[in-house]
Amino acid sequence: MSRWLGVAAAQLGPIGRNEPREAVVKRLVRLLREAHERGAELVVFPELALTTFFPRWALARSVADQWFETEMPGPATKPLFEEAALLRVGFFLGYAELTEDGHRYNSAVLVERDGSIVARFRKVHIPGHETEEPWRSFQHLERHYFEPGPDSFGVWEAFGCRVGMMLCNDRRWPESYRVMGLQGVELICCGYNTPIHYAPDPSQDVLAGFHNQLVLQAGAYQNGTWVVAAAKGGIEEGVDSLAQSSIVAPSGQVVAQSLSADDEVIVARCDLDWCSRYKSTLFDFARYRRPELYGLITASSDDPGRSGPSRRDVTP
Ligand code: CDT
């Protein structure tokens, strides 16, 4: 007998700089209700789903702190938690976290169908730059606002399966999926904000959608897992961001994808036992992996004892 789970990616369109949290939470509740009506028990919201994507501006931390949460749930997010528990729908929600001892993380929570918090995840790979670069048409100052998450990629028993979490840039790195794959992950929740213009190499702009699909599909297939990825898309404060929210099966096939760059729900009924068809055959890690040969992957890049090709060894 197969295990089934109804899941949704709840894509958001733009959130304005001055849009109050309460208004955004109303949008989230609307999407949650629609996802529930369409059979979802788990709804994945985007990265930084409560606010505009503020790393596009160079601002003093004291100014940006208005977009950070000091508690989860807090007064503004409580209605989402209450509605979800009432409907018995769980969710993944990305937000900016300011801890009691002053750390700032790009975080997400996974909330079960009874409203309890299963786990919190802090983004591991922080992209962009640390200081303002005036030559850019907009900034990507995540490395100014956020510390890298110290906790790696966990996997939790929830929703009748093994659930993992990642945020935006994490999805581009095979290590993110593999660390979860090694813990038997069956469903990965991911939220993202991906500006289509990539200032350091604009030749990549036209490939933004392709690269998104490439990494989500490869990560799902190579680890035999479902991946549910929700975008904040559309033109937000003048910056166009990729939509293309997707639900990807362990086969690597896209089973649902958003059509708009606005608030939109996509759903899929996931056969969780589909994962074992990959995990016990082609990707039987215990049988086929050769970790004794993969040491370079975990050696630090500045480890002097590190062997293997470097840029210096490559013939121009
Ligand atoms: N939010 C986030 O991580 N965005 C990055 C943008 C590219 S790096 C400037 C991403 O990987 O989609």
Side-chain angles (χ1 to χ4, degrees):
M1 209 177 76
S2 283
R3 290 171 300 143
W4 293 92
L5 182 69
V7 301
Q11 176 176 285
L12 284 169
I15 298 177
R17 180 172 177 153
N18 297 318
E19 194 164 335
R21 288 272 203 309
E22 291 70 18
V24 177
V25 169
K26 279 191 180 139
R27 288 167 64 183
L28 301 182
V29 168
R30 256 198 308 274
L31 292 167
L32 186 92
R33 285 188 185 135
E34 180 185 336
H36 167 69
E37 277 162 21
R38 293 172 59 190
E41 290 177 76
L42 169 60
V43 180
V44 175
F45 291 112
E47 174 192 46
L48 299 176
L50 298 169
T51 64
T52 199
F53 189 73
F54 56 87
R56 73 170 64 88
W57 297 301
L59 301 166
R61 286 220 175 80
S62 54
V63 177
D65 276 355
Q66 64 177 301
W67 292 302
F68 282 75
E69 310 302 312
T70 52
E71 45 181 343
M72 187 55 68
T77 42
K78 226 173 180 156
L80 175 66
F81 279 71
E82 287 170 352
E83 184 69 12
L86 197 70
L87 299 175
R88 297 208 58 80
V89 177
F91 61 91
F92 162 98
L93 177 74
Y95 65 101
E97 178 193 10
L98 174 55
T99 68
E100 250 174 48
D101 53 351
H103 295 282
R104 290 170 180 81
Y105 299 108
N106 189 339
S107 301
V109 275
L110 180 66
V111 178
E112 252 292 5
R113 291 158 285 194
D114 62 0
S116 63
I117 292 183
V118 177
R120 182 197 52 229
F121 167 76
R122 291 166 172 161
K123 185 173 180 176
V124 170
H125 301 95
I126 307 292
H129 44 112
E130 288 82 3
T131 54
E132 184 173 12
E133 296 184 359
W135 59 270
R136 292 174 183 253
S137 52
F138 57 89
Q139 306 294 299
H140 198 106
L141 281 161
E142 280 195 67
R143 295 175 74 85
H144 166 64
Y145 293 113
F146 302 118
E147 291 174 47
D151 300 325
S152 189
F153 298 95
V155 169
W156 295 269
E157 287 287 348
F159 299 92
C161 64
R162 296 188 61 74
V163 184
M165 296 187 261
M166 61 185 179
L167 282 165
C168 198
N169 191 259
D170 291 326
R171 78 194 190 286
R172 301 187 190 276
W173 299 89
E175 293 87 351
S176 310
Y177 303 86
R178 184 48 54 94
V179 168
M180 290 186 263
L182 287 167
Q183 299 170 78
V185 75
E186 295 176 305
L187 190 149
I188 298 176
C189 305
C190 177
Y192 60 94
N193 284 261
T194 293
I196 289 171
H197 176 53
Y198 182 58
D201 177 17
S203 76
Q204 296 180 30
D205 296 2
V206 72
L207 300 172
F210 166 64
H211 289 156
N212 183 50
Q213 296 228 211
L214 184 67
V215 293
L216 296 176
Q217 292 184 253
Y221 167 64
Q222 290 170 341
N223 295 279
T225 182
W226 287 91
V227 177
V228 183
K232 169 128 69 62
I235 302 174
E236 186 181 87
E237 299 292 350
V239 177
D240 197 4
S241 286
L242 184 70
Q244 206 182 66
S245 299
S246 301
I247 301 175
V248 186
S251 59
Q253 290 166 290
V254 176
V255 298
Q257 190 164 80
S258 61
L259 299 174
S260 75
D262 216 325
D263 291 10
E264 180 181 340
V265 174
I266 58 170
V267 294
R269 193 165 166 263
C270 301
D271 176 359
L272 298 164
D273 289 330
W274 198 349
C275 302
S276 68
R277 301 228 291 271
Y278 288 84
K279 289 182 194 294
S280 65
T281 58
L282 261 170
F283 296 116
D284 181 341
F285 289 168
R287 185 171 185 189
Y288 296 120
R289 283 180 76 249
R290 300 289 312 281
E292 71 279 13
L293 303 181
Y294 304 157
L296 262 183
I297 289 174
T298 50
S300 143
S301 8
D302 45 17
D303 178 352
R306 190 173 184 232
S307 59
S310 70
R311 266 179 185 277
R312 280 195 308 279
D313 303 322
V314 177
T315 311

